[in-house]
Amino acid sequence: MATVARENIGLLNDKITVKISKEDYLPAFEKKVKEYSKTANIPGFRKGNVPAGMVKKMYGTAIYTDEVLRTVEKELYSYLQTENPDIFAQPMALENGAPKLDYANPAEYEFGFEIGLKPNFELAPVKKAKLTLHKVTVTDEMVQEEVDRMQVKGGKMTEPEEVNSLDNVLNVQFTESDKDGNIVEGGISKENSVLLKYFSPALQKQLMGKKKDDSIVFQLSKSFDKDKLDMMLHDLGLDKDDKEAAKKYFNLSIVKVGLVEKRELNEEFFKEVFPGAEVTTEADFRNKLREEIEQYWASQSRNQLHDQLYHYFLDETTMEFPATFLKRWLQSGGDKPKTAEEAEAEFPFFSNQLKWTLISDKLIKDNNLQVNTEDVKASMKAEVMRYFGGASLGEDQSWLDSYVERMMKDEKHVDTTYRRLITDKLFQWAEAQVSPKEKEVTGEELNAMMHNHNH
């Protein structure tokens, strides 16, 4: 008769021992041998008349092993289903926890497994969180920048003979060189498009009046501000953290000079930017842009507040893990086996992810947060409509319902949509529990906060 025993072997780490006797697996083994005797095709024997001894000789080890392991697995999962311990992942066989099997000598066997148990924990009280809502005030200058951007985006590209405006777009060939312009053998060579205004004032002045095929020599570090320098280093395939990379010299040869002829601010342009909206005057246009910019920064502000909530729960909730078990699981549980060193290095990030999963699951359960099928369908429908960018879809939208029904059959897409919606609900709930103090910041400051904490 099979028995299952459990004992603690470490922090949130238990050992499960499954013992089986001959009577637990031998009848199934003999039955499987008889089935093989009736179906096996073995030269020299008629199908259905293969002696059991021959089947055992040829297939006995494999059949025996399968039946023993099937019996052990059945007992193990029957125990887990009955006892229902709250575990991570699946039980793992203990190293040297499996005995040697010999079908010629049936015996009592003992198999060892280990399980990692999820911790009991108390959530950090969200109402005690000290948070800041960083708000960006939309200025006339920001609106004007967006007006200019939209005019350029909708404008027509022209090709003046020479560089004559900070708004010039230069198609240039970057070729790595020394400070005298001598080409570095095997160095970087790449064509790129750059706005003249991205260069330093000194280089802008040097480029003014230049024409197609004219060239200059420049050093990266002296030719761009920090943010633009990082962008150029990336475009050239260089590491922005490599201090030597910014010291490189390049020969810049002008391939083409371009200039966007800005769109006129008229009703035709307004309707292109905001189809279906009642925007007929420049004042309407600017007000509509201001609304959109305000909505954007309000969304970014809330996202950053949610990030603070995420860190509050993660940092202030105390939780222990069966680290030894989880590190072993990291080594063998993924698609590709990892070394002990790789698992050790990966564990801090992995344990943070695991901690947040447990926290968010508890928040969702404790506060009865739900996403139903209709919520998922509505989100998918909105996703399709966003794809059409506000264009009229006609009165008969039955095709849209049919399309969403097809999307609902994609389990991966449904799961992704559900996770996004339930996460949104979680943070909406958490946001409603707190009263953050407000602080005015610039767009650049808020962007920097978002960049440093991207989850």
Side-chain angles (χ1 to χ4, degrees):
M1 175 106 180
T3 62
V4 181
R6 176 176 163 189
E7 62 178 306
N8 180 255
I9 57 174
L11 176 65
L12 297 170
N13 192 192
D14 286 2
K15 175 184 176 181
I16 295 179
T17 303
V18 180
K19 288 183 181 179
I20 58 172
S21 64
K22 292 187 291 184
E23 291 74 24
D24 294 314
Y25 64 83
L26 206 53
F29 168 67
E30 296 295 349
K31 181 181 178 182
K32 189 66 70 175
V33 169
K34 288 181 181 179
E35 290 176 0
Y36 265 74
S37 298
K38 294 176 182 178
T39 59
N41 285 314
I42 299 178
F45 298 94
R46 283 192 304 163
K47 186 175 182 180
N49 289 294
V50 180
M54 179 60 68
V55 171
K56 287 182 179 180
K57 184 176 181 180
M58 297 186 70
Y59 305 111
T61 298
I63 298 173
Y64 187 78
T65 300
D66 284 348
E67 292 307 321
V68 169
L69 295 180
R70 187 177 290 115
T71 302
V72 171
E73 187 177 89
K74 177 185 175 184
E75 296 296 332
L76 174 63
Y77 285 97
S78 176
Y79 171 83
L80 292 175
Q81 189 172 14
T82 301
E83 297 297 321
N84 197 28
D86 199 6
I87 64 174
F88 287 115
Q90 296 296 320
M92 287 195 302
L94 286 168
E95 294 179 4
N96 303 318
K100 291 184 178 180
L101 306 180
D102 181 4
Y103 77 88
N105 296 291
E108 179 179 273
Y109 295 120
E110 183 177 299
F111 289 79
F113 302 88
E114 64 173 320
I115 55 174
L117 301 168
K118 293 181 181 179
N120 291 318
F121 62 94
E122 292 294 327
L123 287 166
V126 66
K127 291 186 183 296
K128 290 188 177 181
K130 295 180 180 179
L131 310 174
T132 302
L133 181 65
H134 299 95
K135 301 187 73 173
V136 175
T137 298
V138 177
T139 64
D140 291 341
E141 289 76 13
M142 293 164 73
V143 174
Q144 184 59 49
E145 283 182 13
E146 187 62 12
V147 170
D148 292 339
R149 191 183 72 82
M150 298 303 294
Q151 284 182 282
V152 169
K153 183 179 177 182
K156 178 183 177 183
M157 180 65 77
T158 61
E159 295 185 24
E161 288 189 8
E162 63 179 35
V163 180
N164 56 16
S165 167
L166 288 178
D167 292 322
N168 280 133
V169 179
L170 305 182
N171 282 20
V172 296
Q173 179 70 40
F174 290 104
T175 307
E176 190 176 347
S177 68
D178 61 19
K179 64 180 181 179
D180 296 318
N182 300 307
I183 304 304
V184 174
E185 187 176 349
I188 297 169
S189 180
K190 185 176 181 181
E191 186 171 331
N192 205 347
S193 295
V194 188
L195 278 168
L196 181 65
K197 66 176 67 173
Y198 284 1
F199 290 102
S200 66
L203 203 61
Q204 292 171 14
K205 185 176 180 181
Q206 191 177 350
L207 285 165
M208 280 293 182
K210 297 292 184 184
K211 299 180 180 179
K212 181 178 179 298
D213 297 329
D214 286 346
S215 62
I216 62 170
V217 176
F218 71 97
Q219 188 178 28
L220 287 172
S221 60
K222 296 180 180 178
S223 304
F224 299 96
D225 291 333
K226 181 65 173 67
D227 60 331
K228 300 299 188 296
L229 176 60
D230 288 349
M231 179 186 70
M232 288 308 306
L233 288 168
H234 179 270
D235 285 351
L236 293 169
L238 296 167
D239 184 355
K240 66 182 180 65
D241 297 320
D242 181 358
K243 293 182 180 179
E244 294 301 313
K247 296 178 182 179
K248 289 179 178 290
Y249 285 86
F250 282 85
N251 182 292
L252 181 153
S253 178
I254 298 175
V255 177
K256 184 172 71 175
V257 179
L259 180 66
V260 176
E261 196 175 88
K262 290 184 178 181
R263 282 292 296 272
E264 185 181 347
L265 294 174
N266 54 30
E267 190 171 345
E268 178 188 11
F269 178 52
F270 304 151
K271 288 183 177 180
E272 285 182 21
V273 177
F274 297 112
E278 291 296 321
V279 179
T280 58
T281 67
E282 183 177 340
D284 293 338
F285 182 65
R286 289 178 179 275
N287 287 335
K288 187 70 173 174
L289 282 177
R290 183 182 292 274
E291 287 176 18
E292 291 206 338
I293 298 169
E294 287 173 343
Q295 289 172 6
Y296 169 79
W297 284 116
S299 173
Q300 292 298 94
S301 182
R302 290 184 68 239
N303 286 344
Q304 205 282 321
L305 180 65
H306 293 173
D307 182 77
Q308 292 178 62
L309 283 162
Y310 166 85
H311 278 284
Y312 172 76
F313 281 121
L314 201 65
D315 297 341
E316 301 301 324
T317 299
T318 301
M319 195 181 299
E320 294 183 306
F321 287 115
T324 302
F325 170 85
L326 291 172
K327 288 173 184 177
R328 275 195 63 206
W329 184 86
L330 271 176
Q331 287 181 253
S332 58
D335 296 332
K336 183 181 177 182
K338 295 181 174 67
T339 64
E341 291 75 18
E342 288 173 330
E344 187 72 37
E346 196 174 307
F347 186 71
F349 176 74
F350 171 74
S351 61
N352 260 3
Q353 285 185 311
L354 203 55
K355 185 176 181 180
W356 174 247
T357 298
L358 294 176
I359 289 171
S360 57
D361 285 349
K362 186 171 177 61
L363 285 168
I364 290 165
K365 182 179 178 181
D366 290 355
N367 297 286
N368 196 30
L369 304 178
Q370 296 179 0
V371 169
N372 58 37
T373 301
E374 292 308 311
D375 294 330
V376 174
K377 285 183 178 180
S379 177
M380 289 181 174
K381 190 171 184 178
E383 181 184 334
V384 175
M385 296 181 76
R386 280 196 301 272
Y387 177 80
F388 287 96
S392 175
L393 301 179
E395 294 183 7
D396 182 9
Q397 295 188 15
S398 57
W399 66 271
L400 182 55
D401 294 328
S402 298
Y403 188 79
V404 169
E405 288 300 328
R406 289 198 297 274
M407 292 172 73
M408 289 292 292
K409 294 177 181 178
D410 183 341
E411 291 185 11
K412 186 176 180 181
H413 191 60
V414 170
D415 183 63
T416 300
T417 304
Y418 168 82
R419 289 179 182 277
R420 176 173 52 78
L421 292 176
I422 197 66
T423 301
D424 286 347
K425 284 202 172 186
L426 187 160
F427 280 108
Q428 287 168 13
W429 171 85
E431 185 181 348
Q433 310 306 307
V434 297
S435 300
K437 65 178 183 180
E438 294 187 0
K439 181 181 178 181
E440 287 286 336
V441 294
T442 65
E444 291 77 12
E445 288 171 331
L446 185 54
N447 277 334
M449 295 177 202
M450 300 297 290
H451 177 74
N452 292 331
H453 295 277
N454 187 18
H455 305 289

